[in-house]
Amino acid sequence: MAAPRNIVVETGKLMKDEETAEDSPTSKKPIGAKLDGRFPLTGWEFTVAFSVFLVFSTGLFCIYLTMPAAEYGKLKLPRSISDLRMLKDELGTYANIYPTKFILGYCSTYIFMQTFMIPGTIFMSLLAGALFGVKGIFLVVFNATAGASSCYFLSKLIGRPIVSWLWPEKLKFFQTEIAKRGDKLLNYMLFLRITPSLPNLFINLASPIVDIPFHVFFLATVVGIIPASYITVRAGLALGDLKSIKDLYDLKTLTVLFLIGSISILPTLLKRKRIYE
């Protein structure tokens, strides 16, 4: 009669192990699996996410405490084109008086927003153009790459259930396309970064889930965002002529981006042509 009792005990242990594995932030759930409308994160995953957010927030707050107070009221993050126009002169004066502190605060804020997917980085990029001119492209590319990399590692830790919950079909499609690329993965990632084929937010979150190596992700990001960053920074130089964010990407601009992106996947197309011949 000991055998049935042992089976029950082993079965109970197995069920407990499975529950523990599912609750782990590093456990892999099937790609595209839906969570039946429930909150996608387990208690452990939510704790990890909140802890990371708390660490970043504390660091950002400490940086703000070291910055000299503005003499002309509270500076705020620009959330619209009109905000940018009103803050341009004040922020320009602040940046001229405290250049190092301003750049540190600007970079920290940009990376924080990019890491935690907070909307508004487009206004930060326009601000770089308005304050620093074309040289602002270096700030934008650095911050966007650093923020995207932080988001990559955060998603690697706890992003799978979130992406599977928000974009199950898009994630399956992305997984299929990545599996096709093989040694031309960098070319494909460059195409995605240069063109607006997929949202950058989705690329940042989904890349570690579909096992895109970080070095490929990093190279594609730092090179691929240059054209769009240049367009945004140039637009920041002429804020008076910019009516809305939609004006940044008109048909002409989108055509140019897709042409540049097509160059990145040209080696892949030529290789396929040789194979078929």
Side-chain angles (χ1 to χ4, degrees), residues 77-80 84 106-129 139-140 143-144 147-148 200-201 204 229 232-233 245 248-249:
L77 289 177
R79 309 298 296 182
S80 66
L84 279 175
Y106 173 88
C107 292
S108 302
T109 304
Y110 197 122
I111 293 171
F112 180 84
M113 295 173 68
Q114 188 88 338
T115 299
F116 295 102
M117 302 150 280
I118 300 172
T121 53
I122 185 70
F123 298 112
M124 298 292 286
S125 298
L126 286 168
L127 182 62
L139 268 181
V140 173
N143 290 317
N200 281 327
L201 170 61
N204 294 344
S229 298
T232 308
V233 169
I245 296 299
L248 284 175
Y249 298 102

Short mmCIF file of all heavy atoms in Angstrom, two decimals, residues 77-80 84 106-129 139-140 143-144 147-148 200-201 204 229 232-233 245 248-249:
data_model
loop_
_atom_site.label_atom_id
_atom_site.label_comp_id
_atom_site.label_asym_id
_atom_site.label_seq_id
_atom_site.Cartn_x
_atom_site.Cartn_y
_atom_site.Cartn_z
N LEU A 77 8.53 68.71 -18.42
CA LEU A 77 8.78 67.96 -19.63
C LEU A 77 7.83 68.44 -20.73
O LEU A 77 6.64 68.61 -20.49
CB LEU A 77 8.55 66.45 -19.40
CG LEU A 77 9.57 65.73 -18.53
CD1 LEU A 77 9.13 64.27 -18.34
CD2 LEU A 77 10.94 65.77 -19.18
N PRO A 78 8.36 68.67 -21.93
CA PRO A 78 7.48 69.06 -23.04
C PRO A 78 6.60 67.90 -23.46
O PRO A 78 7.08 66.79 -23.67
CB PRO A 78 8.46 69.46 -24.14
CG PRO A 78 9.71 68.71 -23.84
CD PRO A 78 9.78 68.61 -22.35
N ARG A 79 5.30 68.13 -23.58
CA ARG A 79 4.36 67.08 -23.97
C ARG A 79 3.63 67.43 -25.26
O ARG A 79 2.76 66.67 -25.70
CB ARG A 79 3.34 66.83 -22.85
CG ARG A 79 3.93 66.61 -21.48
CD ARG A 79 4.82 65.40 -21.41
NE ARG A 79 4.10 64.16 -21.64
CZ ARG A 79 4.64 62.95 -21.60
NH1 ARG A 79 5.95 62.83 -21.37
NH2 ARG A 79 3.92 61.88 -21.82
N SER A 80 3.95 68.56 -25.84
CA SER A 80 3.32 68.97 -27.09
C SER A 80 4.22 69.97 -27.79
O SER A 80 5.20 70.47 -27.22
CB SER A 80 1.95 69.59 -26.83
OG SER A 80 2.09 70.81 -26.12
N LEU A 84 6.95 72.87 -26.28
CA LEU A 84 8.33 73.04 -26.75
C LEU A 84 8.62 74.49 -27.09
O LEU A 84 9.68 75.02 -26.75
CB LEU A 84 8.58 72.16 -27.98
CG LEU A 84 8.88 70.69 -27.74
CD1 LEU A 84 8.99 69.94 -29.06
CD2 LEU A 84 10.17 70.53 -26.95
N TYR A 106 18.95 65.80 -18.91
CA TYR A 106 18.28 65.47 -20.18
C TYR A 106 18.47 64.00 -20.53
O TYR A 106 17.50 63.28 -20.84
CB TYR A 106 18.83 66.36 -21.30
CG TYR A 106 18.33 66.00 -22.68
CD1 TYR A 106 17.15 66.56 -23.18
CD2 TYR A 106 19.03 65.11 -23.48
CE1 TYR A 106 16.69 66.23 -24.45
CE2 TYR A 106 18.58 64.77 -24.75
CZ TYR A 106 17.41 65.34 -25.22
OH TYR A 106 16.96 64.99 -26.48
N CYS A 107 19.72 63.53 -20.47
CA CYS A 107 20.02 62.14 -20.83
C CYS A 107 19.33 61.17 -19.86
O CYS A 107 18.76 60.16 -20.29
CB CYS A 107 21.52 61.90 -20.82
SG CYS A 107 22.42 62.77 -22.13
N SER A 108 19.37 61.47 -18.57
CA SER A 108 18.76 60.59 -17.58
C SER A 108 17.25 60.48 -17.79
O SER A 108 16.68 59.39 -17.71
CB SER A 108 19.04 61.10 -16.17
OG SER A 108 20.43 61.20 -15.93
N THR A 109 16.63 61.61 -18.09
CA THR A 109 15.18 61.62 -18.31
C THR A 109 14.82 60.85 -19.57
O THR A 109 13.87 60.05 -19.58
CB THR A 109 14.66 63.07 -18.41
OG1 THR A 109 15.03 63.79 -17.24
CG2 THR A 109 13.16 63.09 -18.58
N TYR A 110 15.57 61.08 -20.64
CA TYR A 110 15.31 60.40 -21.91
C TYR A 110 15.44 58.89 -21.76
O TYR A 110 14.55 58.12 -22.19
CB TYR A 110 16.30 60.92 -22.97
CG TYR A 110 15.92 60.64 -24.40
CD1 TYR A 110 15.77 61.69 -25.30
CD2 TYR A 110 15.72 59.35 -24.88
CE1 TYR A 110 15.41 61.45 -26.63
CE2 TYR A 110 15.38 59.10 -26.20
CZ TYR A 110 15.23 60.15 -27.06
OH TYR A 110 14.90 59.91 -28.38
N ILE A 111 16.52 58.44 -21.13
CA ILE A 111 16.76 57.01 -20.97
C ILE A 111 15.69 56.39 -20.07
O ILE A 111 15.22 55.27 -20.32
CB ILE A 111 18.17 56.77 -20.39
CG1 ILE A 111 19.23 57.18 -21.42
CG2 ILE A 111 18.37 55.30 -20.01
CD1 ILE A 111 20.64 57.19 -20.89
N PHE A 112 15.30 57.10 -19.02
CA PHE A 112 14.24 56.62 -18.12
C PHE A 112 12.94 56.43 -18.89
O PHE A 112 12.26 55.39 -18.77
CB PHE A 112 14.05 57.62 -16.98
CG PHE A 112 12.98 57.22 -16.00
CD1 PHE A 112 13.26 56.35 -14.96
CD2 PHE A 112 11.69 57.72 -16.11
CE1 PHE A 112 12.28 55.98 -14.05
CE2 PHE A 112 10.70 57.37 -15.21
CZ PHE A 112 11.00 56.49 -14.18
N MET A 113 12.55 57.41 -19.69
CA MET A 113 11.32 57.32 -20.46
C MET A 113 11.37 56.19 -21.47
O MET A 113 10.39 55.45 -21.66
CB MET A 113 11.05 58.65 -21.17
CG MET A 113 10.78 59.81 -20.23
SD MET A 113 10.67 61.41 -21.07
CE MET A 113 9.14 61.20 -22.00
N GLN A 114 12.52 56.03 -22.12
CA GLN A 114 12.66 54.97 -23.12
C GLN A 114 12.65 53.59 -22.47
O GLN A 114 12.07 52.65 -23.01
CB GLN A 114 13.97 55.18 -23.90
CG GLN A 114 14.16 54.27 -25.10
CD GLN A 114 13.55 54.85 -26.36
OE1 GLN A 114 12.65 55.69 -26.28
NE2 GLN A 114 14.00 54.41 -27.50
N THR A 115 13.27 53.47 -21.33
CA THR A 115 13.34 52.18 -20.64
C THR A 115 11.96 51.69 -20.23
O THR A 115 11.62 50.51 -20.42
CB THR A 115 14.24 52.28 -19.39
OG1 THR A 115 15.56 52.65 -19.79
CG2 THR A 115 14.29 50.95 -18.65
N PHE A 116 11.16 52.59 -19.69
CA PHE A 116 9.86 52.20 -19.15
C PHE A 116 8.70 52.57 -20.08
O PHE A 116 7.55 52.63 -19.66
CB PHE A 116 9.66 52.81 -17.77
CG PHE A 116 10.64 52.29 -16.76
CD1 PHE A 116 11.74 53.05 -16.39
CD2 PHE A 116 10.49 51.02 -16.21
CE1 PHE A 116 12.66 52.57 -15.47
CE2 PHE A 116 11.41 50.53 -15.30
CZ PHE A 116 12.50 51.30 -14.93
N MET A 117 9.03 52.81 -21.34
CA MET A 117 8.02 52.97 -22.40
C MET A 117 7.06 54.11 -22.11
O MET A 117 5.85 54.01 -22.34
CB MET A 117 7.25 51.66 -22.61
CG MET A 117 8.14 50.49 -22.97
SD MET A 117 7.50 48.90 -22.41
CE MET A 117 7.96 48.92 -20.69
N ILE A 118 7.58 55.20 -21.54
CA ILE A 118 6.77 56.38 -21.24
C ILE A 118 6.70 57.25 -22.48
O ILE A 118 7.73 57.65 -23.02
CB ILE A 118 7.37 57.17 -20.07
CG1 ILE A 118 7.44 56.28 -18.82
CG2 ILE A 118 6.57 58.43 -19.78
CD1 ILE A 118 8.18 56.91 -17.66
N PRO A 119 5.50 57.56 -22.98
CA PRO A 119 5.39 58.37 -24.20
C PRO A 119 6.00 59.76 -24.02
O PRO A 119 5.98 60.33 -22.92
CB PRO A 119 3.86 58.47 -24.40
CG PRO A 119 3.28 57.35 -23.62
CD PRO A 119 4.19 57.15 -22.45
N GLY A 120 6.56 60.30 -25.10
CA GLY A 120 7.09 61.66 -25.05
C GLY A 120 8.52 61.81 -25.49
O GLY A 120 9.03 62.93 -25.55
N THR A 121 9.22 60.69 -25.82
CA THR A 121 10.62 60.81 -26.24
C THR A 121 10.76 61.57 -27.56
O THR A 121 11.82 62.16 -27.83
CB THR A 121 11.28 59.43 -26.38
OG1 THR A 121 10.49 58.59 -27.24
CG2 THR A 121 11.42 58.76 -25.02
N ILE A 122 9.71 61.58 -28.38
CA ILE A 122 9.76 62.33 -29.64
C ILE A 122 9.93 63.82 -29.36
O ILE A 122 10.66 64.53 -30.07
CB ILE A 122 8.49 62.06 -30.49
CG1 ILE A 122 8.58 62.75 -31.83
CG2 ILE A 122 7.24 62.54 -29.75
CD1 ILE A 122 9.58 62.14 -32.75
N PHE A 123 9.29 64.31 -28.28
CA PHE A 123 9.43 65.72 -27.91
C PHE A 123 10.84 65.99 -27.36
O PHE A 123 11.38 67.09 -27.56
CB PHE A 123 8.38 66.10 -26.89
CG PHE A 123 6.97 65.97 -27.39
CD1 PHE A 123 6.11 65.01 -26.88
CD2 PHE A 123 6.50 66.81 -28.39
CE1 PHE A 123 4.82 64.88 -27.36
CE2 PHE A 123 5.21 66.70 -28.87
CZ PHE A 123 4.37 65.72 -28.36
N MET A 124 11.41 65.00 -26.68
CA MET A 124 12.78 65.15 -26.19
C MET A 124 13.76 65.23 -27.35
O MET A 124 14.75 65.97 -27.29
CB MET A 124 13.13 63.97 -25.27
CG MET A 124 12.27 63.86 -24.03
SD MET A 124 12.55 65.21 -22.86
CE MET A 124 14.17 64.74 -22.20
N SER A 125 13.50 64.48 -28.42
CA SER A 125 14.36 64.52 -29.60
C SER A 125 14.23 65.87 -30.31
O SER A 125 15.23 66.45 -30.76
CB SER A 125 13.98 63.40 -30.56
OG SER A 125 14.17 62.13 -29.96
N LEU A 126 13.01 66.37 -30.42
CA LEU A 126 12.80 67.70 -31.01
C LEU A 126 13.50 68.77 -30.17
O LEU A 126 14.08 69.73 -30.72
CB LEU A 126 11.31 68.00 -31.09
CG LEU A 126 10.52 67.25 -32.17
CD1 LEU A 126 9.02 67.43 -31.93
CD2 LEU A 126 10.89 67.74 -33.56
N LEU A 127 13.47 68.60 -28.86
CA LEU A 127 14.12 69.55 -27.96
C LEU A 127 15.63 69.58 -28.19
O LEU A 127 16.25 70.65 -28.15
CB LEU A 127 13.80 69.19 -26.52
CG LEU A 127 14.36 70.11 -25.44
CD1 LEU A 127 13.79 71.51 -25.58
CD2 LEU A 127 14.05 69.55 -24.05
N ALA A 128 16.21 68.42 -28.44
CA ALA A 128 17.65 68.36 -28.72
C ALA A 128 18.00 69.17 -29.95
O ALA A 128 19.01 69.88 -29.99
CB ALA A 128 18.08 66.90 -28.90
N GLY A 129 17.16 69.07 -30.99
CA GLY A 129 17.39 69.86 -32.19
C GLY A 129 17.21 71.34 -31.94
O GLY A 129 17.99 72.18 -32.44
N LEU A 139 23.23 63.26 -29.22
CA LEU A 139 22.51 63.05 -27.96
C LEU A 139 21.33 62.11 -28.14
O LEU A 139 21.11 61.19 -27.34
CB LEU A 139 22.01 64.39 -27.41
CG LEU A 139 22.89 65.17 -26.44
CD1 LEU A 139 22.19 66.45 -26.03
CD2 LEU A 139 23.25 64.34 -25.22
N VAL A 140 20.57 62.33 -29.21
CA VAL A 140 19.38 61.53 -29.46
C VAL A 140 19.74 60.07 -29.71
O VAL A 140 19.14 59.15 -29.13
CB VAL A 140 18.57 62.09 -30.65
CG1 VAL A 140 17.43 61.15 -31.01
CG2 VAL A 140 18.03 63.48 -30.29
N ASN A 143 21.02 58.44 -26.39
CA ASN A 143 19.96 58.20 -25.41
C ASN A 143 18.96 57.14 -25.88
O ASN A 143 18.52 56.30 -25.09
CB ASN A 143 19.22 59.50 -25.12
CG ASN A 143 20.05 60.48 -24.33
OD1 ASN A 143 20.73 60.11 -23.39
ND2 ASN A 143 20.02 61.74 -24.72
N ALA A 144 18.59 57.21 -27.16
CA ALA A 144 17.64 56.23 -27.69
C ALA A 144 18.22 54.82 -27.66
O ALA A 144 17.52 53.85 -27.34
CB ALA A 144 17.24 56.61 -29.11
N GLY A 147 18.44 53.73 -23.90
CA GLY A 147 17.11 53.42 -23.40
C GLY A 147 16.54 52.15 -23.98
O GLY A 147 15.92 51.34 -23.28
N ALA A 148 16.76 51.94 -25.29
CA ALA A 148 16.29 50.71 -25.94
C ALA A 148 17.00 49.49 -25.37
O ALA A 148 16.39 48.43 -25.19
CB ALA A 148 16.50 50.80 -27.45
N ASN A 200 8.90 50.89 -32.66
CA ASN A 200 10.13 50.67 -31.91
C ASN A 200 9.86 50.09 -30.53
O ASN A 200 10.66 49.31 -30.01
CB ASN A 200 10.91 51.98 -31.78
CG ASN A 200 11.68 52.33 -33.04
OD1 ASN A 200 12.16 51.45 -33.75
ND2 ASN A 200 11.78 53.60 -33.34
N LEU A 201 8.74 50.48 -29.94
CA LEU A 201 8.37 49.93 -28.63
C LEU A 201 8.23 48.42 -28.71
O LEU A 201 8.76 47.68 -27.85
CB LEU A 201 7.06 50.55 -28.17
CG LEU A 201 6.40 49.92 -26.94
CD1 LEU A 201 7.30 50.02 -25.73
CD2 LEU A 201 5.05 50.59 -26.65
N ASN A 204 11.71 46.74 -29.18
CA ASN A 204 12.49 46.73 -27.94
C ASN A 204 12.04 45.61 -27.00
O ASN A 204 12.85 44.92 -26.39
CB ASN A 204 12.36 48.07 -27.22
CG ASN A 204 12.98 49.21 -27.99
OD1 ASN A 204 13.77 49.00 -28.90
ND2 ASN A 204 12.61 50.42 -27.63
N SER A 229 16.34 59.94 -36.48
CA SER A 229 16.82 60.92 -35.50
C SER A 229 17.23 62.21 -36.20
O SER A 229 16.96 63.32 -35.69
CB SER A 229 18.02 60.35 -34.73
OG SER A 229 17.65 59.20 -34.00
N THR A 232 14.10 64.17 -37.08
CA THR A 232 13.49 64.78 -35.90
C THR A 232 14.30 65.97 -35.40
O THR A 232 13.74 67.03 -35.05
CB THR A 232 13.34 63.75 -34.77
OG1 THR A 232 12.68 62.59 -35.28
CG2 THR A 232 12.54 64.31 -33.62
N VAL A 233 15.62 65.82 -35.36
CA VAL A 233 16.47 66.91 -34.89
C VAL A 233 16.39 68.11 -35.83
O VAL A 233 16.32 69.27 -35.40
CB VAL A 233 17.93 66.42 -34.75
CG1 VAL A 233 18.88 67.59 -34.53
CG2 VAL A 233 18.04 65.45 -33.58
N ILE A 245 3.04 66.57 -34.69
CA ILE A 245 4.00 65.48 -34.85
C ILE A 245 3.80 64.76 -36.19
O ILE A 245 4.75 64.26 -36.79
CB ILE A 245 3.86 64.47 -33.69
CG1 ILE A 245 4.23 65.14 -32.36
CG2 ILE A 245 4.73 63.25 -33.90
CD1 ILE A 245 5.65 65.65 -32.31
N LEU A 248 6.07 65.44 -39.15
CA LEU A 248 7.43 64.90 -39.21
C LEU A 248 7.56 63.82 -40.27
O LEU A 248 8.59 63.71 -40.95
CB LEU A 248 7.82 64.31 -37.85
CG LEU A 248 8.18 65.29 -36.74
CD1 LEU A 248 8.40 64.53 -35.44
CD2 LEU A 248 9.41 66.09 -37.11
N TYR A 249 6.53 63.01 -40.43
CA TYR A 249 6.61 61.86 -41.32
C TYR A 249 5.52 61.94 -42.39
O TYR A 249 4.51 61.25 -42.34
CB TYR A 249 6.48 60.56 -40.51
CG TYR A 249 7.61 60.38 -39.52
CD1 TYR A 249 7.42 60.64 -38.16
CD2 TYR A 249 8.87 59.99 -39.94
CE1 TYR A 249 8.46 60.51 -37.25
CE2 TYR A 249 9.92 59.86 -39.05
CZ TYR A 249 9.70 60.11 -37.70
OH TYR A 249 10.74 59.99 -36.82
#
